[in-house]
Amino acid sequence: METALTIADLKERARRRVPKMFFDYADSGAWTESTYRANEADFARIRLRQRVLVDMTDRSLASEMAGQPVAMPLALSPTGLTGMQHADGEILAAQAAEAFGVPFCLSTMSVCSIESVAAATTKPFWFQLYVMRDRDFIERLIDRAKAAKCGALVLTLDLQILGQRHKDVRNGLSTPPKFTPKHIWQVATRPAWAFEMLGTKNRTFGNIVGHARNVGDISSLSAWTAEQFDPRLSWADVAWIKEKWGGKLILKGILDPEDARMAADTGADAIIVSNHGGRQLDGARSSISALPAIVEAVGDRIEVHMDGGVRSGQDVLKAVALGAKGAWIGRPFLYGLGAGGRAGVTRALEIIRHELDVSMALCGRRDIRTVDADIIDRAP
Ligand SMILES: Cc1cc2nc3c(=O)[nH]c(=O)nc-3n(C[C@H](O)[C@H](O)[C@H](O)COP(=O)(O)O)c2cc1C
């Protein structure tokens, strides 16, 4: 793994190791993918101020996110089907994050269940909740997250209905893969992946199958989402979920200052400025371009995080400089996982940590908690 120097290197390795339908599932955005591209492109447009002859000894990246100490201000975003990038993917990513000292957030739509991740880790991980029409199931899911001692609940607000990702439709994405010639070919040409997958029982949606009533075929994620996710989810629901959960609550998927104000009114602990990695509303602005106005609107009332397009430590530094208490990564850790399991996720975190540390120093700062908008070069 040491020869992978960038997140892009890990992405190319994942492309060669993971069956096409699952690699594409990660590397896709909604419709024209313009928001997916903008998330990365807008980071590249921001410039940092180079400072010289500043003491650069004794640097610290340690910080806090939602009250939890973190080795650097970075968390692993909740991603569905992570156990299809690599056998037992959620367990491996959670273990890598735990050893590194950053939060891992398990998706409702994970392959490994809350209980199996809890059994394989020693510290609390975070849990992401999608709200479905079946409220009994949601209450039981919250109870399971509590029983597993999850440290925060991340409530996703931007997926009441699913944005279309053309690659998934063309690939006929399903979990587990179907037995058509095309799908058999995709799996057969990735023998290491297939061999590892044979060694685990975790091959479907572990939080749902056997727990939700009247669940028939959920192999087709898009059809199942349309049928089960609650399109009437409202701010009133945030209140009962907050009450039922009773712990740290993070609201994910805020892109508009007006929504940010309403989110702050709920009394939640943090918000994540996010467009779901460009997978929902194509044509929405990038997360990093939305961040400053949201920090301006609510930064004194609620902790603000962001995700979408973070591909390097420089990006994390820019997000922190523009007011985020922490940044989250989805695809970078998925590429690491696909490329090399737990070691690949660790490598993704090492790459970002090294880039963040060196870039912070070259901006003349020694402590990530002192980084502010002053390190951004705004000159024309
Ligand atoms: C393959 C994939 C699956 C995802 N599944 C979920 C999910 O189950 N729940 C959720 O809240 N967000 C989900 N997201 C969105 C991520 O949590 C996060 O917002 C996004 O990946 C951040 O952008 P980045 O991938 O550019 O870092 C998913 C993203 C990807 C790439």
Side-chain angles (χ1 to χ4, degrees), residues 77-80 107 128 130 156 252 276 279 307-309 311 330-331:
S77 294
T79 52
S107 164
Q128 174 265 330
Y130 276 136
T156 298
K252 174 173 186 281
H276 216 100
R279 296 162 76 80
D307 77 14
R311 299 292 177 268
R331 296 173 183 93

Side-chain angles (χ1 to χ4, degrees), residues 1 62 91 100 130 219 225 229 247 260 295 303 328 358:
M1 278 297 131
I91 289 175
F100 213 89
Y130 276 136
S219 66
T225 308
F229 281 34
V295 170
E303 194 170 303
W328 296 58
V358 172

Side-chain angles (χ1 to χ4, degrees), residues 224-264:
W224 195 80
T225 308
E227 190 187 300
Q228 299 289 331
F229 281 34
D230 189 349
R232 288 159 311 190
L233 189 69
S234 72
W235 289 106
D237 292 309
V238 176
W240 74 256
I241 291 166
K242 182 171 186 299
E243 165 138 11
K244 167 87 188 153
W245 168 245
K248 295 271 182 205
L249 180 68
I250 303 175
L251 301 179
K252 174 173 186 281
I254 303 283
L255 208 61
D256 188 277
E258 199 47 48
D259 285 340
R261 282 188 200 99
M262 292 200 265

